Amino acid sequence: MIEEFLTQLTWLQGLGTLFGIVQVVLARQNNVHTYLFGIASILISMWVLYQSALYADILLNMYYLVMSVYGWVYWKFGKQKTETPISSVNKNEFLKANGIVLACFVLMSYWLTFHTDSDVPIWDAVVVAFAWAGMWLMAKRKIENWIYLNISNIVSIPLMVYKELYIYAGMTVFLFIMGTSGYLKWRKLMKNERELTYAAA
């Protein structure tokens, strides 16, 4: 029975990883359909994480779900009802992103420490805090999203190994590599968009 359950979890990890890989590849390419594959990956991950008692990560995935819908709409239409271009954060957005990190870390670390049976409350809270800020920035199509997401990834790798979620650990290594590549790709795309804007002016 236990062996069958573990096999099911491994199979679900594999499927969720596949969708997650497609999502990140599409995000790197600045493709709006990244969010469709992301939603499928999120729903699978929530079940696996529940079975592994990573409660903050479940909340993170619920947030991902909401931000994925928001991100898809924002990328598609933005404020001007046209596709939103890649840009850098301004001072106000930088402060908001770091405010999200701080507030999320404080709330999650408190909740995990005193109201759950989590044995890794601080590390889990760090992963969630930077990922929340990163997802908010990605939904806004800000290039700095890759930096915040990669901080989350680098902390998440040993956490997944500790929880014996080896497939997810491998995927997180892949996400870190793709996050670095995505930052460089977006920087190039942003430069090209600026050059096209100047040429059209």
Side-chain angles (χ1 to χ4, degrees):
M1 187 72 177
I2 295 177
E3 184 177 336
E4 182 182 344
F5 176 72
L6 292 175
T7 300
Q8 182 188 34
L9 276 188
T10 302
W11 180 81
L12 286 172
Q13 282 185 68
L15 185 60
T17 298
L18 177 62
F19 285 129
I21 288 172
V22 174
Q23 174 200 6
V24 175
V25 170
L26 290 176
R28 181 184 177 276
Q29 296 299 321
N30 196 32
N31 189 314
V32 69
H33 297 302
T34 179
Y35 287 108
L36 301 180
F37 287 91
I39 289 170
S41 179
I42 288 164
L43 294 175
I44 294 170
S45 295
M46 287 175 68
W47 173 250
V48 174
L49 293 168
Y50 175 75
Q51 298 300 322
S52 301
L54 287 172
Y55 304 117
D57 285 78
I58 294 171
L59 289 179
L60 173 61
N61 276 271
M62 291 174 68
Y63 171 76
Y64 278 175
L65 190 60
V66 173
M67 292 305 292
S68 291
V69 175
Y70 171 78
W72 184 85
V73 173
Y74 192 88
W75 278 36
K76 200 73 175 169
F77 305 109
K79 292 181 180 179
Q80 291 77 37
K81 303 303 179 184
T82 57
E83 190 168 297
T84 305
I86 299 169
S87 61
S88 294
V89 296
N90 55 37
K91 183 179 179 181
N92 185 47
E93 290 165 337
F94 177 75
L95 291 174
K96 283 182 179 179
N98 286 295
I100 290 171
V101 171
L102 181 60
C104 182
F105 174 76
V106 171
L107 290 172
M108 287 295 101
S109 58
Y110 172 80
W111 178 66
L112 289 167
T113 300
F114 297 105
H115 298 285
T116 75
D117 59 352
S118 174
D119 58 342
V120 284
I122 302 301
W123 292 109
D124 206 6
V126 170
V127 170
V128 172
F130 279 97
W132 275 45
M135 276 298 292
W136 178 73
L137 290 170
M138 179 173 278
K140 293 287 187 180
R141 223 166 197 166
K142 301 295 179 178
I143 191 171
E144 290 81 6
N145 85 84
W146 297 108
I147 297 173
Y148 284 80
L149 290 174
N150 258 0
I151 294 173
S152 176
N153 288 332
I154 203 69
V155 177
S156 181
I157 293 167
L159 182 60
M160 291 298 170
V161 171
Y162 173 73
K163 286 292 184 177
E164 299 182 355
L165 298 174
Y166 301 118
I167 294 177
Y168 275 10
M171 184 181 77
T172 308
V173 171
F174 172 79
L175 292 177
F176 179 82
I177 295 170
M178 290 300 293
T180 303
S181 176
Y183 177 83
L184 297 174
K185 175 75 172 180
W186 277 36
R187 188 170 67 175
K188 183 178 179 180
L189 290 171
M190 192 164 63
K191 181 181 177 182
N192 291 341
E193 285 176 359
R194 282 191 191 135
E195 289 175 352
L196 287 172
T197 301
Y198 292 145

